């Protein structure tokens, strides 16, 4: 494992970074632990000044933040700018609302008084993925810093420049050293950080494999964890959907971030009556995407994050076809430098095909045709994942009724699964546990402390 910036557009190695020594790691942990004692004693108002300033700086330096995203993991530059804006929105949201979310909650016992106070845990450890190099950090850091916790983060190996830029942001905003710490560390060191008694909670966003490893280690230490893991979201199209608009959303749902979203639509489940027309229009729209330099605003098909990601995806497609799937379009790498893959659609995926259960992290759509809404729901639920999903129908009541039968953490009607600061984000089953964002995300790493006042003369 290493920390290396490589431009996936052309394979250029931009910069490599040394991992921290054990001595440097110890010093970072000690600084964070000492910082907690100061940070936690500040008022919400004092913390909010610094946190809100971080949002202002992100917006002011939008280009400075967006460019390394595009350079390190190939996100289209307009989407990188959008991610910077969204991250700033999340930071602002918690600066404004944390005190309301965490204010004491009065209880109404039969006698005397009682309330729930929210107390910070301490130093938290985040392990984060490359696909949204700032948004993932913002949704962990902002609520927890406002709650009075301090955070240390191990970011993904391929986005070290983004990781370092985000750490600098907090120092520039006036946060004390140790409030937000970026760690360039090995997996062994990750385990030691989890074991360290100064660490009080662990949040991971990433693959199921990483989630199992880190959650198991946290469990051994009896430490609370949240897991935001993979997904295989269903994109259900009912026969009464507005076909043209649905296809536009299908392209966005599949191709945003070149398909590398946990909540990207991965399984397109279309009712028979519309299936042929949907497939035809979807294919035509995907074929129009224009590959090129992700720094160029005219490009609509960027590279995957790394060469390794491309190789893994190509192998998954090959295996799917060997096991009986039909290639409707694409399936190959583009004949040009860089980690580019053709937009791909697979159909005829039977339950015994590994593709039926696997997560395809990139521009690969799995297409299923079903008889009716009941079959659509049954197929959507036939997955080990349970992150998001969407239903397209002109009948919103029907959409809501079906949403109640879908076993995931999030269901969107007439929109692909997506995220805003004020909506909770997270899944069930192999997609993990816990929630980030909204009023819920800030509750994960606080001690819900009961404070009870009783009459000294009350009976035992
Ligand atoms: P990943 O390989 O699991 O990596 C995520 C993070 O975990 C990285 O920092 C990685 O470090 C670290 N890591 C991996 N294995 C580890 C281990 N055994 N011990 C300690 N640390 C470990 O995932 P990814 O490829 O970066 O991201 C894609 C996955 O994340 C997809 O499955 C996607 O669906 C999921 N995701 C989920 C959400 C959500 O909110 N549910 C959001 C975004 C992404 P290195 O980079 O150094 O290996």
């Amino acid at each position: 494992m290493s920390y290396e910036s490589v431009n996936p557009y052309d394979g250029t190695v931009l910069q490599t970074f040394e991992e921290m020594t054990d001595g440097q790691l110890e010093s970072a942990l000690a600084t964070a632990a000492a910082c907690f004692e100061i940070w936690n004693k500040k008022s919400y108002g004092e913390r909010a000044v610094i946190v809100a300033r971080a949002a202002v700086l992100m917006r002011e330096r939008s280009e400075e933040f967006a460019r390394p995203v595009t350079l390190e993991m190939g996100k289209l530059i307009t989407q990188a700018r959008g991610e910077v804006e969204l991250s700033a929105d999340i930071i602002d949201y918690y600066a404004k609302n944390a005190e309301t979310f965490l204010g004491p909650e009065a209880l109404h016992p039969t006698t005397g008084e009682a309330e729930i106070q929210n107390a910070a845990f301490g130093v938290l450890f985040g392990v984060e993925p490359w696909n949204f190099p700032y948004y993932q950090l913002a949704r962990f850091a902002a609520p927890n810093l406002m709650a009075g916790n301090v955070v240390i983060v191990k970011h993904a190996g391929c986005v070290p420049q983004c990781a370092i830029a985000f750490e600098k942001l907090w120092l520039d905003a006036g946060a004390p050293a140790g409030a937000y710490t970026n760690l360039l560390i090995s997996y062994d060191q990750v385990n030691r950080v989890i074991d360290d008694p100064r660490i009080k909670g662990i949040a991971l966003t990433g693959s199921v494999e990483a989630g199992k490893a880190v959650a198991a280690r946290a469990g051994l230490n009896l430490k609370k964890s949240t897991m935001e893991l993979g997904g295989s979201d269903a994109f259900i199209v009912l026969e009464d959907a507005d076909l043209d608009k649905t296809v536009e959303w299908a392209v966005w749902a599949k191709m945003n971030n070149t398909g590398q979203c946990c909540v990207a639509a991965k399984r397109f489940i279309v009712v028979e009556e519309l299936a042929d027309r949907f497939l035809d229009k979807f294919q035509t729209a995907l074929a129009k995407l224009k590959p090129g330099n992700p720094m160029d605003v005219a490009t609509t098909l960027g590279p995957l994050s790394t060469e390794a990601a491309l190789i893994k995806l190509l192998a998954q497609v090959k295996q799917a076809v060997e096991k009986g799937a039909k290639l409707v379009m694409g399936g190959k790498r583009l004949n040009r430098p860089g980690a580019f893959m053709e937009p791909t659609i697979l159909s005829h995926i039977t339950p015994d095909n590994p593709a039926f259960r696997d997560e395809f992290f990139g521009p690969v759509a799995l297409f299923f045709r079903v008889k009716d809404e009941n079959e659509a729901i049954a197929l959507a639920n036939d997955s080990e994942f349970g992150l998001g999903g969407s239903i397209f129908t002109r009948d919103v009541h029907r959409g809501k009724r079906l949403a109640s039968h879908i076993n995931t953490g999030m269901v969107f009607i007439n929109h692909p699964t997506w995220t805003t600061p004020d909506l909770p984000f997270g899944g069930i089953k192999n997609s993990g546990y816990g929630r980030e964002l909204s009023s819920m995300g800030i509750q994960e790493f606080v001690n819900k402390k009961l404070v009870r006042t009783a009459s000294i003369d009350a009976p035992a």
Side-chain angles (χ1 to χ4, degrees):
M1 202 200 56
S2 64
Y3 290 87
E4 192 171 62
S5 282
V6 179
N7 188 343
Y9 166 60
D10 57 11
T12 316
V13 178
L14 303 167
Q15 230 177 320
T16 56
F17 296 82
E18 292 288 317
E19 276 175 13
M20 290 172 110
T21 63
D22 288 345
Q24 288 168 325
L25 175 57
E26 168 51 34
S27 155
L29 285 167
T31 306
C35 181
F36 172 68
E37 299 304 327
I38 302 163
W39 185 252
N40 184 42
K41 291 187 181 69
K42 288 187 186 293
S43 67
Y44 282 106
E46 287 168 321
R47 290 197 288 261
V49 169
I50 293 169
V51 172
R53 200 180 300 138
V56 169
L57 290 180
M58 262 201 119
R59 292 201 182 90
E60 275 176 13
R61 303 177 189 168
S62 172
E63 209 54 25
E64 212 177 290
F65 278 102
R67 286 179 65 83
V69 174
T70 300
L71 288 172
E72 291 192 307
M73 53 72 69
K75 195 185 297 264
L76 298 180
I77 187 68
T78 44
Q79 293 179 9
R81 289 179 189 132
E83 182 182 338
V84 172
E85 186 65 32
L86 174 59
S87 306
D89 288 350
I90 291 168
I91 296 169
D92 254 345
Y93 174 79
Y94 284 108
K96 287 194 183 100
N97 295 306
E99 187 168 6
T100 311
F101 293 153
L102 296 182
E105 183 196 338
L107 301 180
H108 304 286
T110 44
T111 60
E113 288 170 23
E115 66 176 19
I116 297 291
Q117 294 177 0
N118 290 297
F121 267 25
V123 187
L124 306 179
F125 180 36
V127 180
E128 300 294 335
W130 47 266
N131 63 341
F132 288 86
Y134 300 127
Y135 158 81
Q136 298 293 351
L137 304 182
R139 69 184 203 176
F140 171 57
N144 285 309
L145 285 172
M146 279 307 300
N149 293 309
V150 302
V151 299
I152 62 173
V153 175
K154 182 245 174 286
H155 210 337
C158 62
V159 287
Q161 294 192 52
C162 295
I164 291 165
F166 199 75
E167 178 185 50
K168 182 171 178 295
L169 170 72
W170 294 98
L171 290 171
D172 290 353
Y180 183 101
T181 309
N182 176 55
L183 302 176
L184 301 177
I185 54 172
S186 68
Y187 289 2
D188 274 351
Q189 288 171 314
V190 165
N191 285 336
R192 271 182 273 140
V193 172
I194 297 171
D195 295 346
D196 192 290
R198 288 166 290 192
I199 297 298
K200 305 299 183 198
I202 295 106
L204 177 135
T205 298
S207 59
V208 172
E209 296 69 35
K212 284 183 178 170
V214 167
R217 194 83 184 194
L220 273 178
N221 286 283
L222 294 179
K223 290 183 186 174
K224 165 134 192 214
S225 63
T226 56
M227 293 288 139
E228 298 279 356
L229 308 179
S232 190
D233 281 16
F235 184 105
I236 296 174
V237 184
L238 299 177
E239 68 285 351
D240 63 351
D242 179 326
L243 186 59
D244 287 334
K245 289 181 185 161
T246 300
V247 170
E248 272 179 43
W249 278 123
V251 174
W252 188 88
K254 182 67 269 176
M255 297 307 298
N256 180 34
N257 209 28
T258 322
Q260 303 165 114
C261 301
C262 51
V263 289
K266 293 180 184 135
R267 296 176 296 146
F268 292 82
I269 299 175
V270 187
V271 168
E272 181 66 54
E273 211 174 309
L274 275 191
D276 286 334
R277 278 184 290 153
F278 174 89
L279 190 56
D280 189 44
K281 284 174 185 275
F282 189 35
Q283 203 177 334
T284 305
L286 290 178
K288 284 190 187 140
L289 296 175
K290 188 167 162 281
N293 189 339
M295 276 295 177
D296 179 349
V297 291
T299 299
T300 51
L301 178 64
L304 292 180
S305 60
T306 58
E307 179 66 21
L310 172 64
I311 288 171
K312 179 178 174 195
L313 196 57
L314 289 167
Q316 280 182 291
V317 170
K318 183 166 172 279
Q319 186 193 46
V321 172
E322 281 165 5
K323 300 282 182 189
K326 260 173 70 179
L327 204 53
V328 179
M329 72 183 286
K332 297 195 292 296
R333 80 180 293 157
L334 288 183
N335 186 17
R336 56 177 299 148
F340 285 88
M341 174 148 183
E342 293 175 335
T344 298
I345 304 178
L346 291 167
S347 69
H348 297 79
I349 302 146
T350 47
D352 57 337
N353 192 326
F356 191 85
R357 311 230 155 252
D358 287 351
E359 180 181 31
F360 283 71
F361 214 57
V364 178
L366 311 182
F367 177 80
F368 299 87
R369 90 187 39 232
V370 288
K371 193 164 74 245
D372 55 24
E373 63 176 42
N374 294 331
E375 259 190 41
I377 300 299
L379 183 53
N381 285 337
D382 192 359
S383 169
E384 276 75 48
F385 291 109
L387 193 54
S390 50
I391 302 170
F392 285 78
T393 170
R394 281 195 170 87
D395 180 348
V396 171
H397 294 295
R398 185 184 183 197
K400 284 190 186 165
R401 175 174 55 80
L402 296 183
S404 72
H405 298 298
I406 293 188
N407 304 326
T408 61
M410 303 170 278
V411 184
F412 280 55
I413 295 160
N414 290 327
H415 196 284
T417 321
W418 194 235
T419 178
T420 54
D422 53 358
L423 294 177
F425 194 103
I428 59 168
K429 305 197 272 185
N430 277 0
S431 297
Y433 49 84
R435 291 292 179 270
E436 290 189 327
L437 298 175
S438 79
S439 60
M440 291 170 78
I442 200 168
Q443 314 286 344
E444 293 284 0
F445 295 106
V446 291
N447 173 18
K448 303 249 153 224
K449 191 195 301 177
L450 168 69
V451 178
R452 166 82 160 129
T453 312
S455 159
I456 200 158
D457 298 319

